[in-house]
Amino acid sequence: MDLDFSKEQVEFREQVRTWLEENAPREIRPEMGPAMREYDLAWQRTQWEGGWAGISWPQEYGGRGLSLLQQLIWFEEYGRAGLPGIDACFVGLSHAGPTLMTRASEEQKTYHLARILRGEVIWCQGFSEPDAGSDLAALRTRARIEGDELVVSGQKIWTSFATLADWQELLVRTDPEGSRHHGISWVICDMHSPGIEVRGIETIEGGAEFCEVFYDDVRIPLENVVGGLNKGWSVAMSTLSFERGTAFTANQVRLASTVEKLIDLAKERTGPDGRRPAIADDEIARRLATARAEVASLRAMTYAGISRNMHRDQPGPEGSMVKLFYSDVAKKVYRLAFDLLGADALRFVSRWEPGGWSGNYLYSYSVSIGGGTSEVQRNIIGDRVLGLPR
Amino acid sequence: MDLLPTPGQMEIASLAADFFGNELPISVIRERRDEPVVVDRRVWSESAELGLFGLGIAEELGGAGCELAEETLLFREMGRRLVPGPFLPTVLGARVAALAGQHETASAILSGKAAVGLALRRGPDGFDAATTPSTLDGRFQLLDAADSRYVLLLDPAGAALVETAALTDVHSEPAIDPGIRLAEARADAVPIIAWVSTQEEPIRLRALVLTAAMSVGIAEATRDLSTEHAKVRVQFGRPIGVNQAIKHACADMAVRAEAALSQVLFAAICVQDGRADAEFQALAAKSVAGRFAVENASATIQVHGGMGYTFEHDSHLFLKRAHVLEHLLGEPADHLARLVAQPAAQ
């Protein structure tokens, strides 16, 4: 049991901090649209040029191949610097890229991985469908084989950044006889292909990154199948073992600094009695303290998870506990922010603007839904951590 | 950085766990519910021989020379097994006596000849941080003081040890938890025989961490109790754990236990290393672990249905002890007030 970082790790932290201070984008991130795409890609390019792209990617694929503790340090400093998330680059860097490394052919890896790292392309995900959400294996988007092409028809939904994306990791049913998990293929789809139509879905916070994608006889070369025809389910599942507990660290650090900002805000703002500062209100003070205790626990949980993963090759299912606890705490924190503002919270300020508490409050409803709902996380914890009967 | 206990640290905890399993199984609480003390003197002496009271005390002061980390793991085992008796005030009292240079007192405690009960002050905290107090006054609630030669008082300004016999108006009270013994008492200019100020030693932070460690043990034990029941209890032809209403309740218990354990281990290291945010982390640990122990124990009663409402089952013992731990070192609301007043974590 120790919290000591070695001399090299402390120097590494200094190095990361200095580099981020000198190179992080100074401009405010534009709202959803082509300017945001350019902003996110430019920042990824800067990281590539500085030698910081793909910090958890193995060196053979052009990444930094950092140790778990170095990754932790990077994400902590990244979060502390108040930098925006890797939003539009997320699927490429943390999902499609790692899947390609594990299951793609040499040609596919050579073509795509470097482009992701260099900040040249945006990837999006094509998994969920209107009738296949948590039950992903119920997906119905069909692909029939014609010569050396797949011809895709169907619909995907909840695809973030589809309007900005170049490529998509797409799950399609290639064997109509195959039941559920069988007969699915994982395909690299060019988002500029004819027959693709993308429609935006406005979210409760007025956000525009959500999309639905329609496929009308979209032709995709058979060579774009990854990991073998009809074997897509196992390809999709192989991505999960890539994440070893560091990736959400930046979000947690951001949440911790949000709590600190709220404590400052509660000292400045007048409280519910209209006379004293909000922090003098017992209920608000207790909720702030509870938030502090819970974000501290979240960080300790992440440290515990990383410590556990340092002693084994494959991460265990405990990551679901961090995800579930994070969602719970984040929703409480943004609800507290909303309550702190009193009637001022009724004035809408988007989360992209300074003081965007109302926007962030609405956005917080997505954290217990996206990336596997909290109910699915509870099933995973029950089945795989506790060994309860299915 | 490695937050997890080493195999060596786990070995110490598991030796203690075996001893508790043999000598102080949970059934002892029910068997001795009408006795004036829960832990008899033979078991108390054996605990001393095992070195449990001085685990975290330096060797030159008569202890085993381990750190707060090892003590934390020991108290987590005690929480898990609902070990009764005044272990917490005895471990802390031995430390206070040793650090105050009261070697005879320290050795009487460490050898098991004298136990230390806990005194909870009724009314506002009494000691002035600027001076060294020589006497104790006021009204107190006593825990497990019946067969204890000393009682320990933990104030924000420091920790004081006094002789139990010097207290007046001592009368026992029925306790919600059959695993503790409760009494009320007064002190009128009772001499303090050992005093350690908060400036000299973060004894209160140690107490917060060790109490939180017992809460973690309760959160873990109730998670396991519920999970086991959910696997074996069959209704409608299937184990009840297949139902999400039960499965998700167990999953939530697992998350609370994991969060509390992680934070308590983190806080133990911060206090042990004297980090600037030690108080922040210890208060966070106490707050999270205390609350989650109560929530897990409550959920366990519900998962067990009618059985969970019986005295014969262990669920209520966990719930009651979880509540006792919430009130040992100041009220939860007071901890939150202190936590929000801290500078940000490191």
Side-chain angles (χ1 to χ4, degrees):
Chain A
M1 272 171 69
D2 75 86
L3 289 170
D4 303 328
F5 288 94
S6 69
K7 187 165 167 286
E8 289 74 27
Q9 286 161 349
V10 172
E11 282 167 9
F12 178 78
R13 190 183 288 278
E14 279 305 311
Q15 206 187 337
V16 171
R17 192 174 291 181
T18 310
W19 189 84
L20 286 173
E21 267 167 26
E22 288 169 1
N23 293 280
R26 310 241 173 265
E27 311 77 35
I28 291 180
R29 188 162 177 261
E31 286 198 37
M32 175 66 190
M36 194 195 77
R37 176 191 154 96
E38 284 321 305
Y39 180 97
D40 283 7
L41 286 177
W43 172 221
Q44 180 60 29
R45 231 163 7 244
T46 306
Q47 291 175 71
W48 164 256
E49 285 156 7
W52 290 107
I55 59 134
S56 53
W57 284 31
Q59 285 176 342
E60 60 174 311
Y61 300 120
R64 278 293 293 259
L66 297 182
S67 71
L68 277 179
L69 286 183
Q70 287 173 317
Q71 292 178 36
L72 171 72
I73 291 168
W74 165 268
F75 284 119
E76 280 189 340
E77 291 303 319
Y78 192 99
R80 204 164 283 162
L83 293 168
I86 55 172
D87 282 24
C89 294
F90 174 81
V91 172
L93 285 167
S94 296
H95 210 271
T99 309
L100 293 170
M101 282 176 229
T102 326
R103 302 296 286 271
S105 68
E106 286 311 311
E107 290 83 355
Q108 289 166 335
K109 288 191 219 176
T110 308
Y111 184 85
H112 289 287
L113 292 179
R115 285 174 168 76
I116 293 172
L117 275 192
R118 292 198 298 251
E120 292 172 7
V121 290
I122 300 279
W123 278 67
C124 64
Q125 194 177 57
F127 283 17
S128 297
E129 296 183 7
D131 291 326
S134 295
D135 182 12
L136 183 57
L139 66 89
R140 290 193 307 214
T141 294
R142 287 272 310 275
R144 60 178 197 275
I145 299 167
E146 279 186 19
D148 55 2
E149 284 180 326
L150 288 172
V151 184
V152 177
S153 296
Q155 182 194 349
K156 294 289 173 179
I157 198 163
W158 318 136
T159 306
S160 296
F161 305 110
T163 47
L164 307 179
D166 303 290
W167 298 98
Q168 182 179 47
E169 46 171 356
L170 177 62
L171 286 181
V172 291
R173 198 162 283 288
T174 35
D175 178 3
E177 306 299 312
S179 61
R180 290 184 53 84
H181 302 87
H182 305 287
I184 293 172
S185 297
W186 197 105
V187 186
I188 301 169
C189 171
D190 182 346
M191 287 300 283
H192 308 296
S193 311
I196 289 184
E197 190 197 340
V198 179
R199 292 182 206 155
I201 301 171
E202 189 179 356
T203 65
I204 62 170
E205 54 143 352
E209 56 188 65
F210 247 18
C211 304
E212 48 190 343
V213 184
F214 298 87
Y215 308 80
D216 181 14
D217 282 347
V218 174
R219 293 181 172 270
I220 300 174
L222 257 179
E223 62 190 26
N224 280 17
V225 173
V226 170
L229 207 58
N230 300 331
K231 295 190 176 140
W233 186 259
S234 85
V235 178
M237 291 304 113
S238 69
T239 316
L240 300 174
S241 65
F242 181 79
E243 213 292 289
R244 297 188 64 199
T246 60
F248 288 109
T249 309
N251 294 28
Q252 292 165 25
V253 174
R254 224 173 272 129
L255 189 62
S257 58
T258 299
V259 172
E260 296 307 319
K261 277 185 207 150
L262 287 181
I263 290 175
D264 292 341
L265 192 65
K267 289 174 184 165
E268 291 159 16
R269 285 188 63 90
T270 307
D273 65 3
R275 292 178 291 111
R276 298 174 304 163
I279 195 114
D281 180 81
D282 279 346
E283 191 205 334
I284 287 176
R286 280 174 202 161
R287 286 171 70 188
L288 286 167
T290 302
R292 261 189 163 176
E294 291 181 350
V295 296
S297 307
L298 193 58
R299 175 198 194 181
M301 251 171 130
T302 297
Y303 276 39
I306 290 171
S307 302
R308 218 175 267 128
N309 286 339
M310 289 191 301
H311 299 290
R312 61 186 180 192
D313 294 332
Q314 285 286 316
E318 299 87 359
S320 284
M321 295 201 278
V322 183
K323 162 81 164 77
L324 180 55
F325 193 56
Y326 172 81
S327 305
D328 186 33
V329 176
K331 284 175 84 167
K332 275 163 73 174
V333 167
Y334 287 110
R335 172 65 196 271
L336 172 55
F338 192 75
D339 291 348
L340 247 180
L341 294 187
D344 284 347
L346 301 180
R347 180 172 163 266
F348 179 76
V349 183
S350 97
R351 66 190 170 102
W352 307 105
E353 297 170 61
W357 297 112
S358 49
N360 267 304
Y361 166 64
L362 295 173
Y363 176 73
S364 74
Y365 280 85
S366 72
V367 298
S368 54
I369 300 172
T373 64
S374 287
E375 288 71 26
V376 166
Q377 306 303 335
R378 286 189 182 94
N379 283 346
I380 294 172
I381 295 163
D383 295 344
R384 294 181 55 210
V385 178
L386 299 176
L388 285 168
R390 286 165 196 247
Chain B
M1 188 288 287
D2 189 344
L3 194 57
L4 300 183
T6 62
Q9 288 172 324
M10 286 311 292
E11 202 177 324
I12 294 173
S14 81
L15 279 174
D18 289 346
F19 171 75
F20 295 137
N22 292 327
E23 300 296 338
L24 289 171
I26 294 178
S27 56
V28 163
I29 297 173
R30 272 185 287 266
E31 287 157 14
R32 294 181 66 92
R33 68 189 287 203
D34 298 321
E35 304 285 330
V37 291
V38 197
V39 181
D40 66 35
R41 290 197 169 172
R42 181 188 60 82
V43 176
W44 194 253
S45 300
E46 284 175 20
S47 305
E49 274 168 42
L50 261 182
L52 298 183
F53 304 149
L55 188 63
I57 294 178
E59 285 179 52
E60 59 270 26
L61 293 174
C66 288
E67 304 250 29
L68 182 58
E70 286 78 14
E71 272 188 350
T72 300
L73 298 172
L74 172 67
F75 278 85
R76 171 195 182 196
E77 286 302 330
M78 290 196 217
R80 253 190 214 178
R81 291 158 189 282
L82 277 185
V83 171
F87 280 90
L88 178 76
T90 296
V91 164
L92 294 168
R95 187 174 194 86
V96 168
L99 292 173
Q102 300 296 321
H103 300 301
E104 271 179 39
T105 305
S107 99
I109 298 170
L110 289 172
S111 65
K113 289 196 189 81
V116 183
L118 190 64
L120 310 180
R121 198 188 277 279
R122 295 230 174 257
D125 297 323
F127 294 127
D128 177 2
T131 56
T132 299
S134 55
T135 55
L136 181 68
D137 290 275
R139 292 182 42 74
F140 300 88
Q141 191 174 31
L142 305 181
L143 261 85
D144 295 322
D147 198 28
S148 298
R149 190 186 298 171
Y150 306 106
V151 292
L152 176 76
L153 177 78
L154 292 158
D155 257 18
L161 212 52
V162 299
E163 290 202 10
T164 314
L167 301 172
T168 48
D169 283 357
V170 182
H171 56 277
S172 61
E173 298 271 7
I176 182 177
D177 175 1
I180 66 162
R181 296 295 176 264
L182 212 54
E184 294 285 331
R186 276 168 60 92
D188 294 306
V190 168
I192 291 173
I193 57 171
W195 167 258
V196 172
S197 76
T198 301
Q199 282 86 9
E200 293 166 81
E201 166 78 7
I203 200 99
R204 200 180 160 86
L205 299 189
R206 282 185 94 91
L208 285 171
V209 169
L210 296 179
T211 309
M214 287 193 277
S215 298
V216 165
I218 291 174
E220 292 177 309
T222 45
R223 168 201 64 196
D224 296 343
L225 209 55
S226 302
T227 304
E228 192 49 36
H229 185 67
K231 286 177 187 173
V232 298
R233 170 72 175 164
V234 173
Q235 286 290 276
F236 304 106
R238 298 188 306 173
I240 61 170
V242 302
N243 303 305
Q244 287 185 328
I246 300 294
K247 182 174 284 186
H248 289 189
C250 292
D252 286 335
M253 286 187 234
V255 173
R256 289 187 210 113
E258 174 79 359
L261 171 65
S262 305
Q263 179 58 25
V264 167
L265 298 182
F266 197 101
I269 300 167
C270 292
V271 173
Q272 178 176 305
D273 292 354
R275 263 175 47 148
D277 59 352
E279 187 167 1
F280 180 111
Q281 300 295 350
L283 287 166
K286 177 69 174 70
S287 166
V288 164
R291 182 160 49 96
F292 287 177
V294 171
E295 286 180 18
N296 274 15
S298 308
T300 296
I301 292 181
Q302 183 65 26
V303 166
H304 282 85
M307 270 176 276
Y309 189 64
T310 64
F311 193 84
E312 183 53 33
H313 200 264
D314 291 342
S315 310
H316 71 107
L317 299 176
F318 283 106
L319 178 73
K320 291 166 179 173
R321 185 68 54 83
H323 280 297
V324 168
L325 296 177
E326 277 276 73
H327 300 285
L328 287 191
L329 306 158
E331 296 301 315
D334 174 52
H335 295 143
L336 291 176
R338 288 172 192 276
L339 178 55
V340 81
Q342 291 289 311
Q346 218 168 291

